């Protein structure tokens, strides 16, 4: 990037929303997960049917009679529940066959047990092959194949064993991405705070998903993300942050587009023949943006900054932000003088810093000042 924002990065506390379970996923009772039995080794037929999810025979006169339980089978169930807990703790990646699908996801085989992979926890590699295809049709095609998953939830008492293909994909592919990487992507969902984008890897598949925060969608002020992006849109994004602990990727669309005002204000304020592009404005000529005077006074307290002066003012055709922002222009430094652009609403003001600092030093200085000034 040639241009660098000096405004503190927007909070991404809402970076990723909790996975929303589809109606099918939230109502699954998992009757196919045998729970561990601590009862006596003899159970009635009705009790056995209830534990396995099968109906008891209505016409069997021996329904109340006791039948022996297969101790070896119960021992295997118990061992597999223990193994599932161990696999979850170790974060082990498992390759499991898909037995069947339903409206909420797919059912996989885990040793003697069966587990569930909800649709939101499937890898985007499946749905991105044909983004317009219903997810139920996509999951039907997975039956008879095997997928790589990690254990997400183990609840033996409620007979719930949930797996995540997305977690396995993160473990496999997150090491391949780095800040500054550019990807082709497909918008998967749009919210007021941003849009989630599936990332296309060199193998042609979409393995990971990142968030384009509302502040990174466009140089224009974005009131509603849906005015700019819709589900299924093809976009190009750049990775601007990676949180390995929280499995989050921050993306930007606008940082792949040059902001013309970072180069010069000439397009906004055409220069007259006798004007200089770096003309200094006297204090009487300048009506500073609210808060800018305090920021400039604080900048003068920073080591290496010896003077702050003001240049041209203008009104932009677009609104970048309602809040006061400072941006470092791409205009080359001249006589240790760097150009900043102060922007709020449609207003823009050139600020000249005389300093011995380099660009990175200026960024750090401004960030410290912004952190001190309310």
């Amino acid at each position: 990037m040639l241009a660098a924002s000096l405004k503190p990065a927007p909070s991404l506390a809402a970076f990723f929303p909790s996975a929303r379970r589809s109606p099918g996923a939230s109502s699954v009772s998992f009757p196919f997960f045998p729970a561990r039995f601590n009862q006596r080794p003899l159970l009635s037929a009705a009790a056995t049917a209830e534990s396995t999810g099968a109906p008891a025979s209505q016409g069997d006169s021996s329904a109340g009679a006791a039948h022996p339980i297969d101790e070896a089978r119960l021992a295997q169930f118990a061992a597999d529940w223990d193994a599932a807990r161990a696999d979850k703790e170790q974060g082990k990646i498992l390759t499991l066959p898909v037995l069947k699908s339903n409206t909420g996801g797919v059912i996989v085989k885990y040793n003697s047990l069966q587990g569930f992979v909800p649709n939101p926890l499937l890898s985007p590699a499946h749905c991105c092959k044909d983004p317009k295809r219903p997810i139920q049709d996509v999951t039907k095609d997975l039956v008879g194949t095997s997928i790589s998953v990690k254990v997400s939830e183990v609840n033996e008492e409620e007979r719930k064993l949930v797996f995540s293909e997305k977690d396995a994909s993160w473990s496999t592919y997150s090491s391949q991405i780095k800040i500054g990487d550019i990807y082709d992507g497909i918008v998967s969902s749009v919210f007021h705070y941003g849009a989630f984008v599936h990332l296309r890897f060199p193998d042609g598949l979409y393995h990971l998903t990142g968030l384009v925060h509302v502040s990174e969608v466009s140089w224009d002020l974005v009131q509603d993300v849906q005015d700019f992006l819709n589900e299924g849109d093809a976009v190009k994004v750049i990775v601007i942050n990676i949180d390995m602990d929280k499995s989050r990727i921050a993306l930007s669309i606008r940082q792949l587009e040059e902001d013309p005002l970072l180069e010069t204000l000439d397009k906004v304020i055409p220069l007259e023949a006798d004007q200089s592009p770096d003309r200094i404005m006297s204090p009487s000529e300048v009506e500073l943006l609210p808060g800018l005077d305090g920021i400039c006074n604080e900048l003068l307290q920073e080591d290496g900054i010896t003077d702050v002066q003001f240049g041209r003012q203008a009104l932009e055709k677009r609104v970048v932000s309602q809040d006061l922002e400072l941006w470092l222009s791409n205009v080359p430094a001249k006589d240790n003088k760097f150009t900043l652009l102060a922007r709020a609403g449609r207003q823009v003001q050139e600020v000249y810093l005389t300093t011995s600092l380099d660009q990175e030093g200026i960024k750090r200085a401004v960030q410290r000042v912004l952190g001190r000034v309310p």
Side-chain angles (χ1 to χ4, degrees), residues 87-248:
D87 287 342
K88 183 179 187 299
E89 292 175 1
Q90 297 169 11
K92 187 176 180 181
I93 296 179
L94 308 165
T95 302
L96 303 180
V98 178
L99 300 179
K100 51 188 173 180
S101 68
N102 57 36
T103 56
V106 298
I107 297 167
V108 294
K109 180 175 175 58
Y110 177 81
N111 299 331
S112 64
L113 307 176
Q114 293 179 12
F116 188 64
V117 186
N119 288 331
L121 297 185
L122 287 170
S123 167
H126 308 303
C127 62
C128 286
K129 292 178 181 178
D130 186 355
K132 296 182 180 180
R133 194 178 184 206
I135 185 63
Q136 289 77 15
D137 291 344
V138 173
T139 54
K140 286 179 182 178
D141 289 346
L142 294 178
V143 176
T145 69
S146 294
I147 58 176
S148 296
V149 296
K150 295 176 74 171
V151 181
S152 177
E153 179 183 354
V154 182
N155 190 324
E156 182 178 356
E157 288 71 24
E158 296 183 11
R159 294 182 289 174
K160 290 183 179 180
L161 184 56
V162 181
F163 295 90
S164 171
E165 191 181 18
K166 279 188 173 179
D167 288 348
S169 294
W170 176 266
S171 297
T172 302
Y173 294 98
S174 60
S175 61
Q176 299 182 23
I177 61 175
K178 61 182 183 296
I179 294 175
D181 285 349
I182 298 174
Y183 287 89
D184 291 322
I186 293 178
V187 177
S188 64
S189 53
V190 180
F191 300 89
H192 69 278
Y193 53 82
F196 289 93
V197 176
H198 299 319
L199 304 180
R200 185 176 186 268
F201 278 68
D203 62 2
L205 299 179
Y206 297 77
H207 296 292
L208 299 179
T209 304
L211 175 71
V212 179
H213 189 263
V214 59
S215 63
E216 293 295 334
V217 171
S218 171
W219 288 108
D220 295 322
L221 180 64
V222 180
Q223 299 286 6
D224 187 342
V225 180
Q226 289 186 333
D227 290 339
F228 293 81
L229 297 172
N230 294 291
E231 184 176 335
D233 286 351
V235 295
K236 192 174 288 290
V237 295
I238 183 171
V239 178
I240 59 175
N241 190 48
I242 304 169
D243 189 331
M244 298 300 292
D245 294 332
K246 296 182 179 180
S247 304
R248 295 174 176 175

